[in-house]
């Protein structure tokens, strides 16, 4: 397993809260309600130096939060609770990270039903090995 896939799995483990949602360390074939999906960000890797591999790069991930779209208020309270939970679990983890932004909630029409989703962009210091 590469460093990046190990890091993705570690982030998924750090964000696990079986009472609130299911965590995927990869994009699932069908998005489901009450889930967190860790996927590569864009750009995926940000090198810190052009010619030295001893300087750690940043691995960029998109943490997607998916909740059921319930009504006109759209489960906004539910997605806000999950955003706060993700932030608190990241803060409790051992990762050196930076959150650059949290997107506004949007509707996702999925095979599993209509979902309310938002993305948290996270950069984590990693290594080249």
């Amino acid at each position: 397993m590469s460093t990046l896939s190990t890091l993705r799995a570690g982030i998924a483990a750090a964000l696990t809260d079986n009472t609130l949602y299911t965590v995927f360390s990869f994009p699932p074939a069908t998005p489901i309600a009450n889930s967190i999906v860790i996927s590569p960000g864009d750009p995926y890797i940000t090198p810190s130096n052009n010619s030295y591999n001893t300087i750690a790069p940043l691995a960029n991930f998109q943490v997607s939060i998916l909740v059921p779209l319930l009504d006109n208020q759209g489960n906004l309270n539910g997605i806000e609770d999950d955003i706060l939970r993700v932030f608190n679990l990241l803060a409790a983890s051992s990762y050196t990270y930076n959150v650059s932004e949290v997107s506004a909630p949007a509707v996702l029409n999925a095979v599993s039903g209509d979902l309310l989703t938002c993305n948290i962009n996270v950069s984590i210091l990693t290594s080249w090995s």
Side-chain angles (χ1 to χ4, degrees), residues 44-80:
Y44 193 9
I45 300 171
T46 306
S48 301
N49 191 304
N50 291 334
S51 60
Y52 298 100
N53 68 353
T54 55
I55 299 176
L58 287 173
N60 301 303
F61 296 97
Q62 180 174 285
V63 178
S64 300
I65 300 173
L66 300 107
V67 298
L69 183 67
L70 298 177
D71 58 17
N72 200 23
Q73 192 173 353
N75 201 4
L76 199 51
N77 292 336
I79 206 164
E80 290 168 347

CSV table of all heavy atoms in Angstrom, one decimal, residues 44-80:
chain,number,residue,atom,x,y,z
A,44,TYR,N,-3.6,16.9,-6.0
A,44,TYR,CA,-3.6,15.8,-5.1
A,44,TYR,C,-2.3,16.0,-4.2
A,44,TYR,O,-2.4,15.8,-3.0
A,44,TYR,CB,-3.5,14.5,-5.9
A,44,TYR,CG,-3.7,13.2,-5.1
A,44,TYR,CD1,-4.1,13.3,-3.7
A,44,TYR,CD2,-3.5,12.0,-5.6
A,44,TYR,CE1,-4.3,12.1,-3.0
A,44,TYR,CE2,-3.7,10.8,-4.9
A,44,TYR,CZ,-4.1,10.9,-3.6
A,44,TYR,OH,-4.3,9.7,-2.9
A,45,ILE,N,-1.2,16.3,-4.8
A,45,ILE,CA,0.0,16.5,-4.0
A,45,ILE,C,0.6,17.8,-4.3
A,45,ILE,O,0.7,18.2,-5.5
A,45,ILE,CB,1.1,15.4,-4.3
A,45,ILE,CG1,0.5,14.0,-4.0
A,45,ILE,CG2,2.4,15.6,-3.6
A,45,ILE,CD1,1.3,12.9,-4.5
A,46,THR,N,1.1,18.5,-3.3
A,46,THR,CA,1.7,19.8,-3.5
A,46,THR,C,3.2,19.7,-2.9
A,46,THR,O,3.4,19.7,-1.7
A,46,THR,CB,1.0,20.9,-2.7
A,46,THR,OG1,-0.4,21.0,-3.1
A,46,THR,CG2,1.6,22.3,-2.9
A,47,PRO,N,4.1,19.6,-3.9
A,47,PRO,CA,5.5,19.5,-3.4
A,47,PRO,C,6.0,20.8,-2.7
A,47,PRO,O,5.5,21.9,-3.1
A,47,PRO,CB,6.3,19.3,-4.7
A,47,PRO,CG,5.3,18.8,-5.7
A,47,PRO,CD,4.0,19.5,-5.3
A,48,SER,N,6.8,20.6,-1.8
A,48,SER,CA,7.4,21.8,-1.1
A,48,SER,C,8.7,22.3,-1.7
A,48,SER,O,9.1,23.4,-1.3
A,48,SER,CB,7.6,21.5,0.4
A,48,SER,OG,6.4,21.1,1.0
A,49,ASN,N,9.3,21.5,-2.5
A,49,ASN,CA,10.6,21.9,-3.0
A,49,ASN,C,10.8,21.1,-4.4
A,49,ASN,O,10.4,20.0,-4.5
A,49,ASN,CB,11.7,21.5,-2.0
A,49,ASN,CG,13.0,22.1,-2.4
A,49,ASN,OD1,13.5,21.9,-3.6
A,49,ASN,ND2,13.6,22.8,-1.6
A,50,ASN,N,11.4,21.8,-5.3
A,50,ASN,CA,11.5,21.2,-6.7
A,50,ASN,C,12.5,20.1,-6.7
A,50,ASN,O,12.3,19.2,-7.5
A,50,ASN,CB,11.9,22.3,-7.7
A,50,ASN,CG,10.8,23.3,-7.9
A,50,ASN,OD1,9.6,22.9,-7.7
A,50,ASN,ND2,11.1,24.5,-8.2
A,51,SER,N,13.6,20.1,-6.0
A,51,SER,CA,14.7,19.1,-6.2
A,51,SER,C,15.0,18.3,-5.0
A,51,SER,O,15.9,17.4,-5.1
A,51,SER,CB,15.9,19.8,-6.7
A,51,SER,OG,16.4,20.8,-5.8
A,52,TYR,N,14.4,18.4,-3.9
A,52,TYR,CA,14.7,17.7,-2.7
A,52,TYR,C,13.5,16.8,-2.2
A,52,TYR,O,12.5,17.4,-2.0
A,52,TYR,CB,15.2,18.6,-1.6
A,52,TYR,CG,16.4,19.4,-1.9
A,52,TYR,CD1,16.3,20.7,-2.3
A,52,TYR,CD2,17.7,18.8,-1.9
A,52,TYR,CE1,17.5,21.4,-2.7
A,52,TYR,CE2,18.8,19.5,-2.2
A,52,TYR,CZ,18.7,20.8,-2.6
A,52,TYR,OH,19.8,21.5,-3.0
A,53,ASN,N,13.7,15.5,-2.0
A,53,ASN,CA,12.7,14.7,-1.5
A,53,ASN,C,12.7,14.6,0.0
A,53,ASN,O,11.9,13.9,0.6
A,53,ASN,CB,12.6,13.3,-2.2
A,53,ASN,CG,13.8,12.5,-1.8
A,53,ASN,OD1,14.8,13.0,-1.1
A,53,ASN,ND2,13.8,11.2,-2.2
A,54,THR,N,13.6,15.3,0.6
A,54,THR,CA,13.7,15.3,2.1
A,54,THR,C,12.7,16.3,2.7
A,54,THR,O,12.4,16.2,3.9
A,54,THR,CB,15.1,15.6,2.6
A,54,THR,OG1,15.5,16.8,2.0
A,54,THR,CG2,16.0,14.5,2.2
A,55,ILE,N,12.2,17.2,1.9
A,55,ILE,CA,11.2,18.2,2.4
A,55,ILE,C,9.8,17.6,2.1
A,55,ILE,O,9.5,17.3,1.0
A,55,ILE,CB,11.4,19.5,1.7
A,55,ILE,CG1,12.8,20.1,2.0
A,55,ILE,CG2,10.4,20.5,2.1
A,55,ILE,CD1,13.2,21.3,1.3
A,56,ALA,N,9.0,17.5,3.1
A,56,ALA,CA,7.7,16.9,3.1
A,56,ALA,C,6.7,17.6,2.2
A,56,ALA,O,6.6,18.8,2.3
A,56,ALA,CB,7.1,16.7,4.5
A,57,PRO,N,6.0,16.9,1.3
A,57,PRO,CA,5.0,17.5,0.5
A,57,PRO,C,3.6,17.5,1.3
A,57,PRO,O,3.5,16.9,2.3
A,57,PRO,CB,4.8,16.5,-0.7
A,57,PRO,CG,5.1,15.2,0.0
A,57,PRO,CD,6.2,15.5,1.0
A,58,LEU,N,2.7,18.2,0.7
A,58,LEU,CA,1.3,18.2,1.3
A,58,LEU,C,0.5,17.3,0.4
A,58,LEU,O,0.5,17.4,-0.8
A,58,LEU,CB,0.7,19.6,1.2
A,58,LEU,CG,1.2,20.6,2.2
A,58,LEU,CD1,0.6,22.0,2.0
A,58,LEU,CD2,0.9,20.2,3.7
A,59,ALA,N,-0.3,16.4,1.1
A,59,ALA,CA,-1.3,15.6,0.4
A,59,ALA,C,-2.6,16.3,0.6
A,59,ALA,O,-3.0,16.6,1.7
A,59,ALA,CB,-1.3,14.2,0.9
A,60,ASN,N,-3.3,16.6,-0.5
A,60,ASN,CA,-4.6,17.3,-0.4
A,60,ASN,C,-5.7,16.3,-0.6
A,60,ASN,O,-5.8,15.5,-1.5
A,60,ASN,CB,-4.6,18.3,-1.5
A,60,ASN,CG,-3.5,19.3,-1.3
A,60,ASN,OD1,-3.4,20.0,-0.3
A,60,ASN,ND2,-2.7,19.5,-2.4
A,61,PHE,N,-6.7,16.4,0.3
A,61,PHE,CA,-7.9,15.5,0.3
A,61,PHE,C,-9.2,16.3,0.3
A,61,PHE,O,-9.2,17.4,0.9
A,61,PHE,CB,-7.8,14.5,1.5
A,61,PHE,CG,-6.7,13.6,1.4
A,61,PHE,CD1,-5.5,13.8,2.2
A,61,PHE,CD2,-6.7,12.4,0.7
A,61,PHE,CE1,-4.5,13.0,2.1
A,61,PHE,CE2,-5.6,11.6,0.6
A,61,PHE,CZ,-4.5,11.8,1.4
A,62,GLN,N,-10.2,15.7,-0.3
A,62,GLN,CA,-11.5,16.3,-0.2
A,62,GLN,C,-12.3,15.4,0.7
A,62,GLN,O,-12.4,14.2,0.5
A,62,GLN,CB,-12.2,16.4,-1.5
A,62,GLN,CG,-13.5,16.9,-1.5
A,62,GLN,CD,-14.0,17.1,-2.9
A,62,GLN,OE1,-13.6,18.0,-3.6
A,62,GLN,NE2,-14.9,16.2,-3.4
A,63,VAL,N,-12.8,15.9,1.8
A,63,VAL,CA,-13.6,15.1,2.8
A,63,VAL,C,-15.1,15.6,2.5
A,63,VAL,O,-15.5,16.7,2.7
A,63,VAL,CB,-13.3,15.4,4.2
A,63,VAL,CG1,-14.2,14.7,5.2
A,63,VAL,CG2,-11.8,15.1,4.5
A,64,SER,N,-15.8,14.6,1.9
A,64,SER,CA,-17.2,14.9,1.5
A,64,SER,C,-18.2,14.4,2.6
A,64,SER,O,-18.0,13.3,3.0
A,64,SER,CB,-17.6,14.3,0.2
A,64,SER,OG,-16.7,14.8,-0.8
A,65,ILE,N,-19.1,15.2,3.0
A,65,ILE,CA,-20.1,14.9,4.0
A,65,ILE,C,-21.4,14.7,3.2
A,65,ILE,O,-21.8,15.7,2.5
A,65,ILE,CB,-20.2,15.9,5.1
A,65,ILE,CG1,-18.9,16.1,5.8
A,65,ILE,CG2,-21.3,15.6,6.1
A,65,ILE,CD1,-18.8,17.2,6.8
A,66,LEU,N,-22.1,13.6,3.4
A,66,LEU,CA,-23.4,13.4,2.7
A,66,LEU,C,-24.4,13.0,3.8
A,66,LEU,O,-24.3,12.1,4.6
A,66,LEU,CB,-23.2,12.2,1.7
A,66,LEU,CG,-22.2,12.5,0.6
A,66,LEU,CD1,-21.0,11.6,0.9
A,66,LEU,CD2,-22.8,12.2,-0.7
A,67,VAL,N,-25.5,13.8,3.7
A,67,VAL,CA,-26.7,13.5,4.6
A,67,VAL,C,-27.9,13.5,3.8
A,67,VAL,O,-28.0,14.0,2.6
A,67,VAL,CB,-26.8,14.6,5.7
A,67,VAL,CG1,-25.6,14.6,6.6
A,67,VAL,CG2,-27.0,16.0,5.1
A,68,PRO,N,-29.0,12.9,4.3
A,68,PRO,CA,-30.3,12.8,3.5
A,68,PRO,C,-30.8,14.2,3.3
A,68,PRO,O,-30.7,15.1,4.2
A,68,PRO,CB,-31.2,11.9,4.3
A,68,PRO,CG,-30.6,11.9,5.7
A,68,PRO,CD,-29.2,12.2,5.6
A,69,LEU,N,-31.4,14.5,2.1
A,69,LEU,CA,-32.1,15.8,1.9
A,69,LEU,C,-33.5,15.6,2.4
A,69,LEU,O,-34.3,14.8,1.8
A,69,LEU,CB,-32.1,16.1,0.4
A,69,LEU,CG,-32.7,17.4,0.0
A,69,LEU,CD1,-31.9,18.6,0.5
A,69,LEU,CD2,-32.8,17.5,-1.5
A,70,LEU,N,-33.9,16.2,3.5
A,70,LEU,CA,-35.2,15.9,4.1
A,70,LEU,C,-36.3,16.8,3.7
A,70,LEU,O,-37.4,16.4,3.5
A,70,LEU,CB,-35.0,15.9,5.6
A,70,LEU,CG,-34.0,14.9,6.2
A,70,LEU,CD1,-33.8,15.0,7.7
A,70,LEU,CD2,-34.4,13.5,5.8
A,71,ASP,N,-36.1,18.1,3.7
A,71,ASP,CA,-37.1,19.1,3.5
A,71,ASP,C,-36.5,20.4,3.0
A,71,ASP,O,-35.4,20.4,2.6
A,71,ASP,CB,-38.0,19.3,4.7
A,71,ASP,CG,-37.1,19.8,5.9
A,71,ASP,OD1,-36.0,20.3,5.7
A,71,ASP,OD2,-37.6,19.7,7.0
A,72,ASN,N,-37.3,21.4,3.0
A,72,ASN,CA,-36.8,22.7,2.5
A,72,ASN,C,-35.6,23.2,3.3
A,72,ASN,O,-34.7,23.8,2.7
A,72,ASN,CB,-38.0,23.8,2.6
A,72,ASN,CG,-37.7,24.9,1.7
A,72,ASN,OD1,-36.9,24.8,0.7
A,72,ASN,ND2,-38.3,26.1,2.0
A,73,GLN,N,-35.6,22.9,4.6
A,73,GLN,CA,-34.4,23.2,5.4
A,73,GLN,C,-33.3,22.3,5.0
A,73,GLN,O,-32.1,22.6,5.3
A,73,GLN,CB,-34.7,23.2,6.8
A,73,GLN,CG,-33.6,23.8,7.7
A,73,GLN,CD,-34.0,23.9,9.2
A,73,GLN,OE1,-35.2,23.6,9.5
A,73,GLN,NE2,-33.1,24.3,10.0
A,74,GLY,N,-33.6,21.2,4.4
A,74,GLY,CA,-32.6,20.3,3.8
A,74,GLY,C,-31.6,19.6,4.7
A,74,GLY,O,-30.5,19.3,4.3
A,75,ASN,N,-32.0,19.3,5.9
A,75,ASN,CA,-31.1,18.7,6.9
A,75,ASN,C,-29.8,19.5,7.1
A,75,ASN,O,-28.8,19.0,7.3
A,75,ASN,CB,-30.8,17.3,6.5
A,75,ASN,CG,-30.3,16.4,7.7
A,75,ASN,OD1,-30.3,16.9,8.8
A,75,ASN,ND2,-29.9,15.2,7.4
A,76,LEU,N,-30.0,20.8,7.0
A,76,LEU,CA,-28.9,21.7,7.2
A,76,LEU,C,-28.3,21.5,8.6
A,76,LEU,O,-27.1,21.5,8.8
A,76,LEU,CB,-29.3,23.2,7.0
A,76,LEU,CG,-28.3,24.2,6.8
A,76,LEU,CD1,-27.3,23.8,5.6
A,76,LEU,CD2,-28.9,25.6,6.5
A,77,ASN,N,-29.1,21.3,9.6
A,77,ASN,CA,-28.6,21.1,11.0
A,77,ASN,C,-27.8,19.8,11.0
A,77,ASN,O,-26.7,19.8,11.7
A,77,ASN,CB,-29.8,21.0,12.0
A,77,ASN,CG,-30.5,22.3,12.2
A,77,ASN,OD1,-29.9,23.4,11.9
A,77,ASN,ND2,-31.8,22.2,12.6
A,78,GLY,N,-28.2,18.8,10.3
A,78,GLY,CA,-27.5,17.5,10.3
A,78,GLY,C,-26.1,17.7,9.7
A,78,GLY,O,-25.1,17.2,10.2
A,79,ILE,N,-26.0,18.4,8.6
A,79,ILE,CA,-24.7,18.5,7.9
A,79,ILE,C,-23.8,19.4,8.7
A,79,ILE,O,-22.6,19.2,8.8
A,79,ILE,CB,-24.9,19.0,6.4
A,79,ILE,CG1,-23.6,18.5,5.6
A,79,ILE,CG2,-25.1,20.5,6.3
A,79,ILE,CD1,-23.8,18.6,4.2
A,80,GLU,N,-24.4,20.5,9.4
A,80,GLU,CA,-23.6,21.3,10.2
A,80,GLU,C,-23.0,20.5,11.4
A,80,GLU,O,-21.8,20.7,11.8
A,80,GLU,CB,-24.4,22.5,10.7
A,80,GLU,CG,-24.7,23.5,9.6
A,80,GLU,CD,-25.7,24.5,10.0
A,80,GLU,OE1,-26.5,24.4,11.0
A,80,GLU,OE2,-25.9,25.5,9.2
